[in-house]
Amino acid sequence: MTGIVVLGSTNMDLVAYVARPPKRGETVTGREFTTVPGGKGANQAVAAARAGGDVTMIGAVGTDEFGAVLRHTLEASGVDTDLLRTADGPSGTAHIVVDDEGGNSIVVVPGANGTVTALAPGDEAVIATADLLLLQLELPQGAVLDGALAGRRHGVRTVLTPSPVRPLPPELLAAVDLLVPNEHEAAALTGIADPHEAAAALLRSVPEVVVTLGSAGALHAARGTAPLTVPAPRVTAVDTTAAGDTFVGTLAVALAEGRPVEQALAWASAAAALSVQRPGASTSMPYRPEIDAAS
């Protein structure tokens, strides 16, 4: 199996389904509410494990009921949680509104994730044995930088999802091998709306970029190679929550297995397309046989 370490967040998603999202100061009536285990780190860990990776999760949950559920959800998908800390207080939560077009808006409250400010004893030793390290930005920046630098020290391929998007310090970018923003994040990082031009600009800071384009697929750019766009399968979206995390987790497995880039992107796009046809975050993520059948 392919060894993947995820240093990232765990959140309980509190999801309200509405015909359309409320405007500022407006109240609308929802048609359904559910709680779904999520968080960008946990989502990517579950996606990678279901895609066939041997996955270890580094992060934190709280001492509330959500914490126990989040830990169990990871373990049920085959994720190793030995390095998942328990911090006094509430777990992280994400408050999500999903509209009838499958779009979403999200407010994240960090909770226990905010206590992960640096690597803990034993974390670097596990990172050192990995084929690939996945990072996001829902943990404090110090921990993300610690993880990236550990990956660089040990020659571990490091993949960063720059979400929630914010300016990235040069020392973090210098330790990243692959940056995976969506088209909006790429624009925010570069000030350039066109994804191709934004990807080219990002290559001045990192050696390889994949920009996810939603229903239009994914764009790959790397120094010294021609850009490549892989289309996404045509599907009707029910809920796009965690589609990007599904893509990244599945892509990580494909890359760690040594698949060619075009094949890896197509496989990850198939997984993401399956996920948007189902409600929820971790609950929507497909297993390897499903991905193989759809790609």
Side-chain angles (χ1 to χ4, degrees):
M1 295 180 73
T2 302
I4 295 171
V5 172
V6 181
L7 172 61
S9 59
T10 59
N11 293 322
M12 183 61 75
D13 292 348
L14 312 176
V15 189
Y17 293 89
V18 297
R20 62 171 182 81
K23 300 175 182 177
R24 184 175 183 180
E26 181 185 21
T27 299
V28 299
T29 299
R31 56 181 169 75
E32 186 180 351
F33 172 79
T34 186
T35 57
V36 183
K40 295 197 72 65
N43 287 343
Q44 291 183 6
V46 169
R50 292 185 178 183
D54 181 9
V55 184
T56 297
M57 179 77 196
I58 301 174
V61 296
T63 49
D64 55 1
E65 292 182 9
F66 289 160
V69 174
L70 291 167
R71 185 180 294 275
H72 172 75
T73 299
L74 288 162
E75 292 170 351
S77 289
V79 178
D80 185 327
T81 62
D82 285 352
L83 297 179
L84 184 64
R85 316 169 199 174
T86 300
D88 288 338
S91 299
T93 52
H95 305 257
I96 304 173
V97 175
V98 179
D99 62 44
D100 281 352
E101 295 181 355
N104 63 68
S105 56
I106 305 173
V107 176
V108 174
V109 181
N113 298 303
T115 69
V116 185
T117 57
L119 293 181
D123 290 349
E124 182 164 346
V126 171
I127 291 172
T129 66
D131 296 303
L132 196 142
L133 171 66
L134 292 182
L135 303 170
Q136 320 78 35
L137 298 178
E138 286 186 344
L139 294 182
Q141 188 166 281
V144 178
L145 179 58
D146 262 12
L149 293 175
R152 180 50 49 94
R153 280 192 292 274
H154 298 284
V156 177
R157 189 175 189 181
T158 297
V159 179
L160 172 64
T161 304
S163 178
V165 68
R166 59 175 180 258
L168 301 175
E171 61 266 34
L172 175 57
L173 288 169
V176 169
D177 297 297
L178 171 61
L179 189 70
V180 190
N182 63 30
E183 56 190 316
H184 307 294
E185 291 156 356
L189 290 170
T190 62
I192 302 171
D194 180 82
H196 287 80
E197 295 179 10
L202 289 168
L203 289 180
R204 292 195 285 267
S205 300
V206 295
E208 190 176 9
V209 177
V210 171
V211 180
T212 57
L213 307 172
S215 61
L219 165 66
H220 175 267
R223 294 171 183 167
T225 66
L228 169 70
T229 300
V230 173
R234 297 174 67 92
V235 298
T236 299
V238 172
D239 182 356
T240 58
T241 305
D245 295 328
T246 302
F247 178 92
V248 173
T250 308
L251 178 65
V253 174
L255 293 176
E257 289 178 350
R259 299 193 189 199
V261 168
E262 186 170 4
Q263 183 188 114
L265 292 172
W267 201 58
S269 294
L274 288 168
S275 77
V276 302
Q277 297 175 73
R278 307 164 180 172
S282 59
T283 52
S284 72
M285 293 174 175
Y287 288 86
R288 189 178 184 110
E290 299 175 88
I291 306 169
D292 288 340
S295 59

